[in-house]
Amino acid sequence: MRAMILAAGRGERMRPLTDHTPKPLLPVAGRPLIDWHLQRLADAGVSEVVINLAWLGEQIAEHVGDGSRWGLRVRYSREGDAALETGGGIARALPWLGNAPFLVVNGDVWCDYDPAPLLQPMDGLAHLVLVPNPAHNPEGDFGLVRGRVVTGGGERLTFSGIGVYAPALFDGHPGGAFRLAPLLREAAEQGRVSGTRHDGLWCDVGTPERLEALNARLSGSI
């Protein structure tokens, strides 16, 4: 299975940290955030990764290179000055992601989830990893009922930013910049999204305060 890391965002809420450093290169437990993703993908058995770039993206390309130090083949989807958001970024990279389902990881999360199970055959248009709701998202994003992701009912959980998508999820996409969430909600309403609950450590590294708290939690534990 191929994989993609979404790394094109500006990181407005992380300013001033992201004024000169793209968010995926911010240090977590002494390593750039994106290194954690690349290592976990390689350990899971992924061999090819696409990384989309926009804000300060060439810093990411310079740091990661061709991916060989992780045993990966890395390609870059350059979006120019304006990022195409989550859906548009994936849609632009579809020619490199192939005809089979592919794994996508948001570049601005940290999670101890092992993605290896996600490399197994998938039923439907998407499979999402969901986590207990953090303080900044108390209402959650989706419900989970007997392994199916729903938009209403069930236990409310938060989308981790880790998922597997079939290329058909993007059929008829609007083009340009657009968000992934509406496509996932539509597919969930059709009963075509499955899900896994992960109760381990997860953090949306969305603010300097969350980054500081994550580093404090990981200090001495890894």
Side-chain angles (χ1 to χ4, degrees), residues 101-120:
F102 50 86
L103 172 62
V104 176
V105 179
N106 285 6
D108 57 359
V109 302
W110 192 98
C111 188
D112 60 4
Y113 180 77
D114 177 5
L118 300 180
L119 274 59
Q120 303 303 312

Side-chain angles (χ1 to χ4, degrees), residues 3-8 22 24-25 34-35 38 48-54 56-70 72-80 89-90 92-97:
M4 181 173 187
I5 298 175
L6 298 178
L25 294 186
I34 199 168
D35 286 19
L38 292 165
E48 297 185 38
V49 175
V50 177
I51 302 174
N52 67 334
L53 305 176
L56 301 178
E58 292 312 310
Q59 290 188 32
I60 297 173
E62 182 177 353
H63 171 74
V64 174
D66 62 4
S68 57
R69 86 178 93 156
W70 294 276
L72 297 167
R73 179 188 180 191
V74 173
R75 294 178 172 179
Y76 298 98
S77 178
R78 290 174 167 85
E79 299 178 6
I90 297 170
R92 182 186 180 111
L94 284 176
W96 285 344
L97 293 168

Side-chain angles (χ1 to χ4, degrees), residues 152-221:
E155 179 186 15
R156 297 295 294 181
L157 296 167
T158 290
F159 176 42
S160 69
I162 303 170
V164 177
Y165 311 125
L169 177 67
F170 298 87
D171 287 353
H173 68 79
F178 66 93
R179 300 187 65 185
L180 175 64
L183 300 186
L184 293 176
R185 291 193 184 97
E186 181 179 358
E189 290 169 356
Q190 297 170 356
R192 304 180 72 183
V193 180
S194 55
T196 298
R197 174 180 173 137
H198 176 61
D199 288 303
L201 181 56
W202 173 85
C203 178
D204 174 0
V205 189
T207 66
E209 293 76 19
R210 287 184 216 158
L211 176 61
E212 182 178 2
L214 175 63
N215 274 309
R217 183 169 183 179
L218 294 177
S219 178
S221 65

